[in-house]
Amino acid sequence: MPASRQLRLPAAFVLLLALACAALFYATWLGYGGRALACALIGLAILFAGELFPAVTSVTQSLQRILPAPAAWLLAVPLFAAYAVYAVGTGSSSAWHWAIIVGYVLVPLALLSLRAGQIPGWSDYLALASIAILVKLRWLNQLWPYPDGHFKYALTVLLAMNVAIVGFMFIRRLDGVGYSLSWSANHGLIVLAAVLVIAAVDIPVGMSLHFLHWGPGHAPLKSLPTSIIGIFFFTAWPEEFIFRGLLQNMLSRTVKSENAGLLTASIIFGLAHIVNGNFPNWRYALLATFAGLCYGFTWRRTGNIFASALVHTAVEAIWHVLFV
């Protein structure tokens, strides 16, 4: 096996096409169709391309070389185009919705334009908070009234990812993010070790706290492959980018300590889960904090968020299959 394998551009196009086809099949199965569905899928495809293609190292390097930081604002144009196609095609365009999306895109980018160099400042943290908190509060869900359910969540997450990618990777140009679908020979052992450590700690603790309840077979195994794909691209990959590639990265630079950055980012990651379920869900926050430590350690050891996202996905999949 080569020392390192990376996602290539042709493979990225295949993944994009596969996701579009899967989304079309799923939406048709649910009974959606017509112009509204076509426009919603076009918007979804544009935003997913914005998440996927920067993970191809050659694409990111080429864009950074072609576009100096001030010109990288042009990368926000596809975000507005994606929403325009969606909003007009689904009949959901309104002045209020446009005000929300313009503010959501432009305010973080403006904040990230205020500082240069690799030592983060208040504007960097404020930009990251403005991107992440609105997603967590589900305030952006109103932008996507059609179709309901999983599509609304996916579109919201993809929009947030695109804003963060444009802002931090192309305008701010933060180093060490590790936004790459790459794989090295020793990554498998690191990923496996992290999954086993989380399972050894979080499962007994979660069961003793009556947060996890043993229930293998409650979730149909036939849906597991699609669930894993959804978890990876719309939960694990985005959260690892935000909490490890950006937050842990910036905190470590600010306090000049990788261990302090890891611990602080993991605590914040845990607290972000306290609103899930019945607030305050401190049991979930506690387990997520420990899992975050393992995700952050994996990211630090491997140098890319693909490995930590795999650990994150495996943990979610185990929960999906074995517990209720």
Side-chain angles (χ1 to χ4, degrees):
M1 178 178 179
S4 177
R5 290 186 176 181
Q6 297 185 350
L7 179 69
R8 304 293 183 182
L9 192 57
F13 275 109
V14 171
L15 281 174
L16 176 62
L17 179 61
L19 177 82
C21 292
L24 175 61
F25 175 80
Y26 180 63
T28 303
W29 179 71
L30 291 176
Y32 296 103
R35 171 186 165 184
L37 176 61
C39 291
L41 290 178
I42 290 172
L44 178 74
I46 294 172
L47 293 177
F48 185 67
E51 177 189 41
L52 183 61
F53 288 147
V56 180
T57 303
S58 59
V59 170
T60 297
Q61 291 174 344
S62 297
L63 286 174
Q64 289 177 338
R65 185 172 57 253
I66 295 169
L67 295 174
W73 279 77
L74 292 172
L75 295 175
V77 172
L79 310 190
F80 295 123
Y83 187 70
V85 171
Y86 171 90
V88 173
T90 60
S92 58
S93 182
S94 72
W96 173 239
H97 285 174
W98 272 107
I100 292 173
I101 197 164
V102 168
Y104 184 73
V105 173
L106 297 186
V107 169
L109 300 190
L111 287 169
L112 291 168
S113 299
L114 296 177
R115 191 175 181 87
Q118 292 301 313
I119 302 301
W122 65 268
S123 55
D124 299 310
Y125 290 105
L126 185 57
L128 183 58
S130 69
I131 293 170
I133 290 176
L134 292 184
V135 175
K136 194 66 179 178
L137 295 177
R138 300 183 180 181
W139 202 63
L140 299 176
N141 286 2
Q142 61 186 298
L143 296 174
W144 322 102
Y146 174 94
D148 208 351
H150 295 303
F151 282 94
K152 180 177 295 190
Y153 170 77
L155 287 163
T156 296
V157 169
L158 288 175
L159 175 62
M161 283 287 287
N162 276 262
V163 175
I165 289 167
V166 172
F168 283 96
M169 293 177 59
F170 295 102
I171 293 177
R172 187 64 175 87
R173 308 219 168 177
L174 184 68
D175 287 340
V177 173
Y179 197 92
S180 173
L181 281 170
S182 59
W183 189 258
S184 296
N186 65 333
H187 288 183
L189 291 177
I190 296 172
V191 168
L192 178 60
V195 172
L196 292 176
V197 169
I198 294 172
V201 174
D202 272 7
I203 289 177
V205 172
M207 295 185 72
S208 66
L209 294 175
H210 304 291
F211 177 78
L212 295 177
H213 303 278
W214 184 250
H218 79 282
L221 290 179
K222 64 181 181 181
S223 67
L224 184 59
T226 55
S227 295
I228 288 176
I229 294 171
I231 290 169
F232 179 81
F233 283 111
F234 303 116
T235 299
W237 183 260
E239 289 189 0
E240 292 310 299
F241 175 48
I242 295 296
F243 286 98
R244 257 55 70 176
L246 298 182
L247 182 60
Q248 182 177 329
N249 186 359
M250 293 195 301
L251 287 170
S252 298
R253 294 171 187 269
T254 299
V255 300
K256 298 180 180 179
S257 169
E258 289 191 350
N259 290 332
L262 168 61
L263 178 60
T264 307
S266 300
I267 292 173
I268 295 173
F269 177 73
L271 291 175
H273 291 75
I274 203 168
V275 297
N276 292 18
N278 296 322
F279 179 82
N281 196 342
W282 63 269
R283 295 175 179 84
Y284 198 177
L286 179 65
L287 298 178
T289 297
F290 181 77
L293 286 169
C294 296
Y295 300 156
F297 177 80
T298 302
W299 171 78
R300 194 170 73 183
R301 285 294 303 272
T302 61
N304 72 68
I305 62 172
F306 179 51
S308 59
L310 285 180
V311 178
H312 196 147
T313 302
V315 170
E316 295 276 356
I318 291 170
W319 186 2
H320 177 80
V321 172
L322 298 181
F323 298 95
V324 293

